[in-house]
Amino acid sequence: MNKTPKNEVISDIAKVIGPLFEKKGFVQKKNIFEFHDINTNNIYQYEILLSKAKGYFSLHLRLNFLNKPFMKEVNEVLKKVWLDEDFIRLEDSSDETIKSAMKVRTSNFCLSMVTDWRDFKEENESLADFNDRFSIWVTAFNDINEIPNWKAQLVQSVLFTEKWISDIQSNQEQWIINHTAYPALYLLKKQNRIIELNEKYNYLLKGSFYKNELIFFYKYLTEL
């Protein structure tokens, strides 16, 4: 059985990506490299999720885009949903469950996250070719040296992170509208882009996991 501690593996990863992120102003906080943009209140995170089960490691890299002031405004609308008796009845859960769910749903300051790095595949690149050159974003191993070119792949993950941040910064409002759900709806309403708001809402409604919540969110949003 592999007896290597998780912290040792995270340290090995940090030795590769740390100097690259530090040059860009990122600060390491345990398993997260984080950058604060004081001009926009945006926080960008590169998160190393590492677990150990049955003697082997499972690694998942994740990117998070947070903005507390903006999401506090979005969450104020969401709080109205979770205080609505009609919505709570539809949820058909205990008071304790409702209270817990409300806390989780209305205290999240993350606008968007990258959990599937295949989004960075080049337009004409096959999925197989992409996986051949970059698969470290989600993988399992006993020893990190088993991963082909693991250091080069980690360097590539930093480059992908830089591209992701650059895409957001190039036109942040439109990026939010294109890539998020509640933040996009809130922003469209704030800008009085009502036709686009309705189009986005109907698009989200087709595939929403939280359909009831979305319906009530839209109701309270349009009453603002």
Side-chain angles (χ1 to χ4, degrees), residues 35-47:
F35 175 73
H36 288 238
D37 185 342
I38 59 174
N39 295 316
T40 61
N41 292 312
N42 290 343
I43 299 174
Y44 303 103
Q45 295 178 336
Y46 177 108
E47 189 172 9

Side-chain angles (χ1 to χ4, degrees), residues 77-123:
V77 181
L78 198 51
K79 283 179 184 177
K80 294 179 181 179
V81 174
W82 282 90
L83 292 172
D84 189 305
E85 291 295 331
D86 291 334
F87 171 73
I88 291 174
R89 260 195 301 276
L90 286 173
E91 290 300 290
D92 191 27
S93 299
S94 67
D95 290 345
E96 184 177 345
T97 300
I98 290 291
K99 186 177 179 181
S100 175
M102 177 180 175
K103 183 178 180 181
V104 171
R105 297 294 289 157
T106 61
S107 60
N108 182 10
F109 302 116
C110 186
L111 283 85
S112 181
M113 62 176 59
V114 174
T115 58
D116 188 341
W117 292 60
R118 288 173 294 188
D119 290 343
F120 293 109
K121 184 175 70 68
E122 297 291 339
E123 186 176 350

Side-chain angles (χ1 to χ4, degrees), residues 117-140:
W117 292 60
R118 288 173 294 188
D119 290 343
F120 293 109
K121 184 175 70 68
E122 297 291 339
E123 186 176 350
N124 297 320
E125 183 179 23
S126 71
L127 185 56
D129 287 343
F130 178 78
N131 289 336
D132 283 343
R133 73 180 177 95
F134 189 76
S135 60
I136 200 168
W137 63 275
V138 59
T139 189

Side-chain angles (χ1 to χ4, degrees), residues 177-219:
I177 290 166
N178 292 343
H179 294 89
T180 72
Y182 292 167
L185 294 175
Y186 181 83
L187 190 56
L188 287 167
K189 177 60 170 64
K190 193 173 183 179
Q191 296 178 349
N192 201 33
R193 295 160 64 178
I194 304 305
I195 294 176
E196 292 170 86
L197 167 65
N198 292 333
E199 289 174 347
K200 183 74 176 184
Y201 168 69
N202 288 321
Y203 170 77
L204 292 171
L205 200 58
K206 293 177 183 177
S208 175
F209 184 76
Y210 300 101
K211 188 161 290 188
N212 289 336
E213 185 185 79
L214 174 60
I215 292 169
F216 277 80
F217 183 87
Y218 177 79
K219 170 183 177 289

